[in-house]
Every structure is written in C-alpha cells, then in structure tokens.
Amino acid sequence: MGEDSKMNTSPPHIVDSGASYVSLPFYEIPVKSTIADKLLEFAMSAGTWNKYHSFDAIQVPFDLAFGDPILYMLGMQHKLAVGILRLNPYTTYDWHVDGRRGVCINMLLNDVKSHCLFEVGHDEATHQFVELKYNPKSYYIFNNQVPHMVTNFAQSRYLMSVEFVEGKDELTFDQLIKEIK
C-alpha cells in the first residue's frame, strides 16, 4: 500500500500534523439547524449588504435567529449577534487570526466549492493544514485564534456566523465546547 492509502486511526477530533497530533480547531455541534433554509432565503433576498472585515454582511433578525433552539440557548447565556457573510466568487480571505474574537459559531448556508483551512503547522513558507468540510445544516464552533483562511470559487459563498460580545480573553473555544456539550 502507498503512503496515501494509510488508514487514519486517530480519534475524530485529533489530526496527525506530520510531526505531532493536535486537537482540531473546530467542533461540529451534534444538533442540526432548524433554520438553515430560512437563513439562505433571507440572504438571497437581502437588498443592502454592509462591509465587515472585507466580507459583505447582513445582520439576521433576532426572531429568525432565535427560532433555532441552539441559537436561542446561546442567546440566553451570552450577548451575541448573528449575521450572514457573503464571499464573492474567486476570492480568498487570506491567512489570519482574529484580533478580538476567540470563538464563533459558523454554518455554511449554500453548497459551493470553497475551502476553509486551519493551520496545524508552519515552516517558513509552507503551512500544514486541516480542512473544515462543512456538513449541511451543521453548526461549527470555530477557534478564531488558530490561523485560518478561506478560498472560494465560482459562486458567492453564504456563511451564517454567530459573534459573541465576549472577547478572546472572556470566552474561548474550549469554554464554549464545554458549555455546548
């Protein structure tokens, strides 16, 4: 058998980065969204979009967002905003770490060819990475303090994102996972 055909025997939340094993910088919440289709309809019919960190963005009305039990629960425990980010075709959002946000919750709303990558190793000009492959109608806790990037291809990419008022020193990736589990 060739090198590429080795079976990965690591637990699903652990990745072999070549030199060592590391925890994945994202976590799929095991409950599906009840509003994913409505969010995409809202995004597709939205008239005015605002610029937000190089994305086009719209805020999701609270009554729509909190119609989902997961988002309702989070809204009872945290101050948050729910938005939809649009990334235009043939666009890359380059490698970065968020300045203020420690954690967010994301859900890809449309099935487009795009790649969301997290760095799990770095050696001068090369990056070892793991890809977050979004499952339909699935929420992901997203570690914004690990270098990450997105490359989008031929269609606009719509992503729902939950932003917490608490910054990276008040709410971390690990804290939110413990809270959700």
Side-chain angles (χ1 to χ4, degrees):
M1 288 182 134
E3 186 71 24
D4 291 336
S5 62
K6 282 185 185 176
M7 183 178 231
N8 183 358
T9 57
S10 301
H13 64 285
I14 302 293
V15 65
D16 181 352
S17 69
S20 62
Y21 289 92
V22 295
S23 293
L24 289 176
F26 54 85
Y27 172 78
E28 183 176 356
I29 297 173
V31 176
K32 296 288 186 188
S33 170
T34 62
I35 61 168
D37 294 333
K38 291 177 185 174
L39 289 169
L40 183 57
E41 286 175 29
F42 175 74
M44 300 302 280
S45 65
T48 304
W49 290 76
N50 301 303
K51 281 294 180 196
Y52 184 72
H53 298 289
S54 300
F55 288 97
D56 294 331
I58 54 172
Q59 187 161 352
V60 174
F62 286 111
D63 59 332
L64 174 55
F66 294 147
D68 183 276
I70 294 290
L71 298 181
Y72 179 81
M73 179 210 54
L74 288 167
M76 297 280 79
Q77 298 173 15
H78 301 277
K79 289 184 180 177
L80 52 86
V82 179
I84 297 174
L85 305 175
R86 179 176 65 190
L87 189 61
N88 291 321
Y90 300 106
T91 302
T92 294
Y93 195 65
D94 212 351
W95 290 106
H96 68 284
V97 172
D98 291 19
R100 189 194 68 75
R101 294 193 313 173
V103 62
C104 70
I105 295 179
N106 289 342
M107 176 175 53
L108 188 62
L109 296 175
N110 60 334
D111 184 21
V112 297
K113 182 178 179 187
S114 65
H115 301 283
C116 177
L117 308 176
F118 285 87
E119 182 181 294
V120 292
H122 187 97
D123 184 26
E124 294 186 31
T126 62
H127 294 262
Q128 293 176 317
F129 64 85
V130 62
E131 182 175 7
L132 167 49
K133 294 181 181 180
Y134 286 95
N135 288 317
K137 300 181 181 181
S138 295
Y139 294 114
Y140 290 84
I141 300 175
F142 193 102
N143 190 339
N144 299 92
Q145 293 301 300
V146 173
H148 53 282
M149 60 94 68
V150 175
T151 298
N152 187 43
F153 291 87
Q155 299 174 317
S156 291
R157 177 183 191 263
Y158 295 94
L159 180 90
M160 184 233 51
S161 190
V162 175
E163 184 167 306
F164 297 92
V165 170
E166 296 113 321
K168 65 185 177 187
D169 296 326
E170 292 115 11
L171 183 62
T172 68
F173 176 73
D174 292 334
Q175 288 170 329
L176 191 56
I177 288 177
K178 286 178 187 172
E179 193 175 300
I180 292 285
K181 281 187 171 182

